[in-house]
């Protein structure tokens, strides 16, 4: 079983540096998407072996947190995304951005979701932006007490694999409509 896990992790790491021809975004975004996609595919292929699947999920979550901290240094610049939704709340505004995992399936339930919760006073940064817009965003991944949260964005429980639709909490520092 250790050999399978090591083989899967090597596959994930070696696939990160490859650049696709028609994928949008800077290299660090492309590498992150490929990293998450490889984790998703590895976990999904182990569906029949529940023990292996559980180990791969746990290791994948841990390695993703390390990747975000060590490789991305908790930040992203000029990543291309789609505005999924803007939810006005009483004291805050939640903005969710989707980065497509597969060009053939652009569903919000098959995307990496970057979720930003901002004070109403910071709402000016998203002025003129609406759901469906293609944007470039810059910001930081939120880390609380050394912990980076990875949730499943989808309300639909179609998958037990967080990498099918992972959600990361972020703080937006800049946004530009494409």
């Amino acid at each position: 079983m250790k050999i399978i896990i090591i083989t899967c992790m090597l596959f994930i790491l070696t696939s990160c540096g490859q650049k696709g021809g028609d994928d949008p975004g800077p290299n660090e975004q492309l590498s992150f998407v490929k990293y998450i996609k490889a984790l998703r595919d590895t976990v999904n292929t182990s569906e029949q072996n529940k023990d292996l699947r559980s180990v791969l999920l746990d290791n994948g979550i841990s390695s993703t947190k390390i990747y975000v901290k060590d490789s991305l240094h908790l930040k992203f610049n000029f990543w291309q995304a789609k505005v999924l939704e803007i939810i006005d709340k009483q004291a805050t505004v939640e903005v969710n951005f989707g980065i497509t995992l597969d060009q053939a399936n652009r569903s919000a339930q098959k995307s990496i979701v970057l979720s930003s919760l901002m004070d109403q006073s910071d709402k000016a940064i998203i002025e003129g932006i609406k759901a469906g817009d293609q944007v470039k965003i810059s910001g930081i991944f939120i880390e609380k007490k050394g912990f980076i949260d990875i949730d499943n964005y989808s309300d639909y429980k179609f998958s037990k694999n967080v990498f099918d639709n992972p959600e990361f909490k972020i703080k937006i520092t800049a946004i530009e409509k494409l």
Side-chain angles (χ1 to χ4, degrees), residues 16-36:
C16 287
Q18 302 167 1
K19 181 170 174 144
D22 52 348
D23 292 335
N27 285 336
E28 70 178 12
Q29 177 182 354
L30 298 175
S31 294
F32 184 64
V33 169
K34 287 179 184 190
Y35 186 84
I36 297 296

Side-chain angles (χ1 to χ4, degrees), residues 46-137:
S46 69
E47 192 166 326
Q48 300 304 317
N49 185 337
K50 301 258 186 242
D51 291 336
L52 176 61
R53 182 181 173 87
S54 178
V55 169
L56 289 172
L57 270 171
D58 289 345
N59 289 343
I61 290 169
S62 295
S63 69
T64 300
K65 291 176 181 184
I66 291 168
Y67 185 97
V68 168
K69 286 173 98 171
D70 293 348
S71 296
L72 297 177
H73 307 287
L74 297 172
K75 63 183 176 180
F76 54 94
N77 292 307
F78 309 111
W79 284 17
Q80 293 184 26
K82 179 180 179 180
V83 179
L84 299 176
E85 58 189 346
I86 299 173
I87 304 166
D88 246 327
K89 300 179 180 183
Q90 215 168 33
T92 59
V93 178
E94 180 180 344
V95 185
N96 295 313
F97 303 93
I99 298 173
T100 303
L101 279 169
D102 297 302
Q103 294 302 317
N105 185 349
R106 295 177 174 265
S107 164
Q109 281 73 39
K110 293 288 185 178
S111 298
I112 296 170
V113 176
L114 303 177
S115 181
S116 181
L117 193 61
M118 58 182 69
D119 292 332
Q120 285 285 351
S121 60
D122 295 330
K123 193 174 178 180
I125 198 168
I126 59 166
E127 200 66 41
I129 304 294
K130 65 183 183 319
D133 286 349
Q134 294 293 325
V135 294
K136 283 186 181 180
I137 56 175

